[in-house]
Amino acid sequence: MSKYLCKYLLFIILLSPFLRAQNKKSNLESLSYDELKEVFFRNEGKIEIQKKYARAFLSKAKKENNSPKIARGYYYYSLLYDDVRKIIYFDSIINNVKFPASEKNYPFVIFLEKGHFLSKQHRYKEAINNYLIVQNLAFSKNITYFYRAKYAIAVLKSEKMGEVVEALPLYRDCYQFYKEQKNNPDLAFAYEASIFGLADTFKALKNRDSASYYNKLGYNGTKKSKNEFLNNIFILNEGANHVLENNFNATLDSVSKALPVMIKHKDKINILASYYYMAKAYQGLNLNLKALENYIKVDSLYRSNSIILPEFSDGYKFIIDYYKDKGDKENQLKYLTTYLEIQNQFQKEYKELSVKLKNDYDLPNLVKEKESLINSLRKDEQKYFWIIILLIGLAFFFVSISIYQNRQKKKYKLNFEKIINQTPKPEILHEVTTNQLQAREINLPSSLVKELNDKLSKFEKNKQYKNANISIQFLANEFATNTKYLSLFINVYKNKTFINYVNDLRVDFIVEELKKSKSLRKYTIAALAEEAGFNTAESFSNAFYRRTGIKPSFFVKELNGC
């Protein structure tokens, strides 16, 4: 429950300076910075519209040479992406924009946002390093950012790294600071968030009294501020706290109040948490059918949304044992397989929690239990044995395929970014200088070398390589030389064979054209091959992959997503 809530609270805290807006004018060019910002955020999720206003904001800032506004324009662009481009925008601001001493938000907010993105990528140590940079920069310049960074570190330690004890003093420091500032409307939400951080941390440490104290404090505060969502988060968290006290009826009462609000706000992780704590309460009251019903709702949400946290997964043990007692081996295997899948997921996503996961969710024991079930099914009926073997094989096959595809996708993404971010290549791949001609020893007259170099440069500049029928024989005739001399020149000075030389020119040409032309991206692969000078789509794809490390179809798809 706390992981996604804390991320939501942190996101709101980080963006609070940017969420005020004024009325919009009709003419885009006449809009003020605040008006452009308001329309940008009002159209959240409509990427093309947001790009339009981010572009206008940035253009206005560049014309005025306004460094803080230029930084903010790039920052708005970063909000549109959830891949390496986000970090590229962040680093561009950090490294290239100079800020006046009076600037209160930059570069602090950029380091914070960069840390938040790195955390989502499970790069926790890098994230903390960025938060520490904020603390060092902001301590004497903007103390509110110092505590925003401290809160972010606390969230990371308590929710991602399993360092709950280390997170507690950080939450306390944030709470003390925001408590003194709670009458500041800009920091009121941060104050309530720090209360929740303490309540949830004490719950994780099983300090029920302290957790209850801060839940009640947060409940009263959010009721006064009329924050319906956060008010019910405290209600839900107190319901979870009652489970630790075996006060199961109180849990049911709290969760029943909070659940409709979670559904209203479409907060999937806390809807899942609500069903989980209801199940725990019913289990504690020995109402096993009710417990089963709610645990299965947790499973349904996992299957439909692929979201679950370690603390919510132990309901699968109840489901598995329930069907085991009923002799329903098919359902027993179904939920055991899902449970094993979830543990494998945790091993990947919660790397810093590996020791805890190993103790709490022992993978070898799960495999052993699964093997025992298989053996039992074999004794009952031989055909079920083969069904199970098939399921296991398919599971491992799809996991392997998934791992392979994910690795390939990451590799393709990196190659795509290299292509996008590299400086466009000149038309001539390796222009041969006079010094280079003199420096290399080749069994050709120097006059011929110079002549071939000039003619090949003209060949490249005029894009004659787009001729699909080009051959070394044809080109040698054009150059009034022979194929042996031309081939030797290309091998030595272009460092490749004639075929690879021509194909690389074609690929570099089509890459740059695709970057510039959206209409060209609508072409089929066969049409792009023809445009570049290839005879077949297959030869084009192979040459493109050899040159760039990705397929042309992937490159076009990623460009369209930019």
Side-chain angles (χ1 to χ4, degrees):
M1 174 184 70
S2 57
K3 171 187 171 186
Y4 284 81
L5 171 65
C6 287
K7 286 168 65 178
Y8 170 74
L9 298 177
L10 177 60
F11 183 74
I12 293 298
I13 293 171
L14 295 179
L15 290 184
S16 59
F18 309 100
L19 297 179
R20 302 184 191 89
Q22 299 178 7
N23 293 327
K24 175 185 175 184
K25 296 180 182 179
S26 58
N27 191 328
L28 180 61
E29 295 182 357
S30 67
L31 295 178
S32 68
Y33 288 119
D34 284 343
E35 289 169 329
L36 287 167
K37 178 183 70 174
E38 189 276 333
V39 180
F40 176 88
F41 283 108
R42 179 151 48 84
N43 285 280
E44 184 176 359
K46 301 175 182 177
I47 302 300
E48 292 305 317
I49 295 177
Q50 287 188 293
K51 280 184 182 179
K52 175 182 176 182
Y53 286 96
R55 189 182 304 115
F57 191 104
L58 187 57
S59 176
K60 181 181 179 74
K62 286 182 176 180
K63 288 179 181 178
E64 297 177 2
N65 197 26
N66 187 327
S67 294
K69 298 300 184 185
I70 291 173
R72 188 163 296 188
Y74 282 120
Y75 172 75
Y76 291 159
Y77 267 112
S78 77
L79 297 179
L80 304 178
Y81 302 103
D82 200 28
D83 52 32
V84 70
R85 285 170 291 184
K86 186 182 288 287
I87 289 183
I88 291 172
Y89 279 118
F90 291 159
D91 288 343
S92 294
I93 297 171
I94 291 167
N95 297 326
N96 300 319
V97 180
K98 301 295 183 182
F99 301 98
S102 59
E103 174 57 41
K104 295 181 179 180
N105 295 316
Y106 291 97
F108 315 122
V109 70
I110 298 304
F111 282 109
L112 280 169
E113 282 290 287
K114 185 178 177 182
H116 180 56
F117 177 72
L118 289 168
S119 174
K120 288 172 61 179
Q121 301 296 308
H122 313 300
R123 295 159 64 179
Y124 306 137
K125 292 180 181 178
E126 293 177 69
I128 286 180
N129 286 339
N130 278 270
Y131 296 146
L132 291 175
I133 290 172
V134 176
Q135 288 193 303
N136 290 333
L137 293 174
F139 186 79
S140 60
K141 294 182 179 180
N142 191 331
I143 196 65
T144 59
Y145 276 100
F146 176 88
Y147 282 98
R148 285 173 182 160
K150 179 170 283 195
Y151 182 85
I153 295 173
V155 171
L156 195 55
K157 284 183 173 290
S158 63
E159 300 302 332
K160 292 286 189 179
M161 303 176 71
E163 299 176 1
V164 182
V165 174
E166 292 82 351
L168 184 58
L170 301 177
Y171 280 128
R172 278 178 169 153
D173 288 348
C174 292
Y175 167 71
Q176 291 299 329
F177 172 76
Y178 289 124
K179 182 180 179 181
E180 295 174 1
Q181 304 288 329
K182 66 180 181 179
N183 291 326
N184 181 342
D186 290 336
L187 299 180
F189 191 90
Y191 170 61
E192 294 168 349
S194 68
I195 296 174
F196 179 82
L198 284 171
D200 199 59
T201 302
F202 278 120
K203 179 173 70 69
L205 294 171
K206 301 190 186 316
N207 187 333
R208 300 188 295 273
D209 291 341
S210 294
S212 184
Y213 170 82
Y214 286 105
N215 278 327
K216 290 176 182 176
L217 181 64
Y219 170 81
N220 291 330
T222 52
K223 188 173 183 179
K224 184 177 179 180
S225 65
K226 297 181 180 180
N227 188 329
E228 178 192 45
F229 174 73
L230 195 52
N231 183 257
N232 280 273
I233 287 293
F234 282 108
I235 293 174
L236 178 58
N237 203 46
E238 183 63 10
N241 195 40
H242 283 309
V243 170
L244 300 176
E245 300 173 335
N246 295 327
N247 193 354
F248 302 121
N249 285 316
T251 295
L252 292 173
D253 181 63
S254 295
V255 175
S256 296
K257 292 176 181 176
L259 178 57
V261 178
M262 301 302 106
I263 293 173
K264 173 184 174 182
H265 287 267
K266 298 179 181 179
D267 186 348
K268 294 177 182 178
I269 192 62
N270 280 309
I271 295 171
L272 185 149
S274 299
Y275 290 134
Y276 171 79
Y277 287 117
M278 277 189 170
K280 292 291 286 185
Y282 284 125
Q283 183 180 349
L285 295 170
N286 295 318
L287 298 173
N288 290 339
L289 284 176
K290 285 282 189 180
L292 179 69
E293 176 186 340
N294 283 278
Y295 280 135
I296 288 178
K297 288 180 180 179
V298 171
D299 173 72
S300 296
L301 285 170
Y302 165 71
R303 292 178 188 277
S304 60
N305 299 294
S306 297
I307 53 171
I308 198 162
L309 301 180
E311 69 174 304
F312 301 146
S313 68
D314 70 351
Y316 282 94
K317 296 178 181 178
F318 178 90
I319 299 175
I320 293 164
D321 289 340
Y322 178 88
Y323 285 119
K324 183 177 180 180
D325 291 340
K326 296 294 182 182
D328 186 343
K329 294 177 182 178
E330 291 185 6
N331 271 318
Q332 187 184 348
L333 179 61
K334 170 186 174 182
Y335 290 103
L336 180 57
T337 302
T338 302
Y339 189 35
L340 184 59
E341 171 191 308
I342 290 170
Q343 303 320 312
N344 286 329
Q345 176 183 326
F346 289 159
Q347 292 291 338
K348 296 175 184 177
E349 295 186 1
Y350 293 81
K351 295 177 183 178
E352 304 295 334
L353 287 169
S354 58
V355 175
K356 180 179 186 302
L357 290 171
K358 184 176 180 181
N359 293 333
D360 292 353
Y361 308 100
D362 192 2
L363 195 59
N365 284 340
L366 289 176
V367 174
K368 184 177 179 180
E369 185 177 349
K370 190 171 185 177
E371 290 174 351
S372 297
L373 179 58
I374 292 171
N375 290 332
S376 175
L377 288 169
R378 182 194 294 130
K379 291 177 182 178
D380 290 340
E381 192 171 351
Q382 190 66 27
K383 68 176 183 179
Y384 287 113
F385 169 77
W386 294 109
I387 294 173
I388 295 167
I389 290 297
L390 178 61
L391 289 174
I392 294 173
L394 287 173
F396 279 107
F397 172 77
F398 285 120
V399 167
S400 300
I401 292 297
S402 177
I403 292 173
Y404 174 78
Q405 290 177 338
N406 285 337
R407 287 176 179 173
Q408 286 296 103
K409 188 174 182 180
K410 289 180 181 178
K411 178 182 175 182
Y412 284 179
K413 284 277 189 182
L414 288 174
N415 289 337
F416 173 79
E417 294 302 331
K418 288 178 183 177
I419 298 170
I420 289 298
N421 295 314
Q422 69 187 6
T423 303
K425 298 180 180 179
E427 291 300 326
I428 303 175
L429 290 178
H430 302 289
E431 186 174 2
V432 183
T433 65
T434 302
N435 290 336
Q436 288 174 321
L437 288 170
Q438 294 172 349
R440 293 177 181 242
E441 294 184 4
I442 185 171
N443 191 22
L444 290 176
S446 58
S447 60
L448 178 58
V449 170
K450 181 66 170 62
E451 179 183 354
L452 289 176
N453 180 64
D454 293 342
K455 289 181 177 181
L456 212 54
S457 296
K458 184 178 180 181
F459 164 79
E460 293 176 7
K461 288 179 180 178
N462 293 337
K463 298 183 176 65
Q464 290 175 267
Y465 50 79
K466 292 175 62 180
N467 180 354
N469 296 318
I470 198 75
S471 67
I472 193 166
Q473 181 65 56
F474 175 86
L475 202 58
N477 291 339
E478 286 287 306
F479 289 178
T481 186
N482 61 51
T483 58
K484 180 180 178 181
Y485 290 164
L486 181 57
S487 178
L488 181 59
F489 179 89
I490 292 173
N491 288 340
V492 171
Y493 290 104
K494 301 300 183 178
N495 294 315
K496 58 188 73 177
T497 66
F498 174 80
I499 293 298
N500 287 341
Y501 163 63
V502 171
N503 285 346
D504 286 351
L505 284 170
R506 291 166 173 170
V507 170
D508 289 346
F509 162 76
I510 203 66
V511 163
E512 294 304 318
E513 290 300 303
L514 285 168
K515 285 182 183 180
K516 296 183 289 187
S517 174
K518 290 186 178 180
S519 61
L520 191 63
R521 300 172 199 170
K522 299 177 182 179
Y523 283 26
T524 64
I525 297 301
L528 289 175
E530 183 178 351
E531 181 73 13
F534 290 90
N535 285 312
T536 67
E538 181 180 2
S539 62
F540 169 58
S541 292
N542 291 336
F544 194 101
Y545 184 85
R546 187 186 64 79
R547 181 67 168 162
T548 66
I550 58 177
K551 291 290 186 180
S553 56
F554 181 87
F555 182 71
V556 172
K557 180 181 177 182
E558 289 299 302
L559 279 176
N560 287 330
C562 293

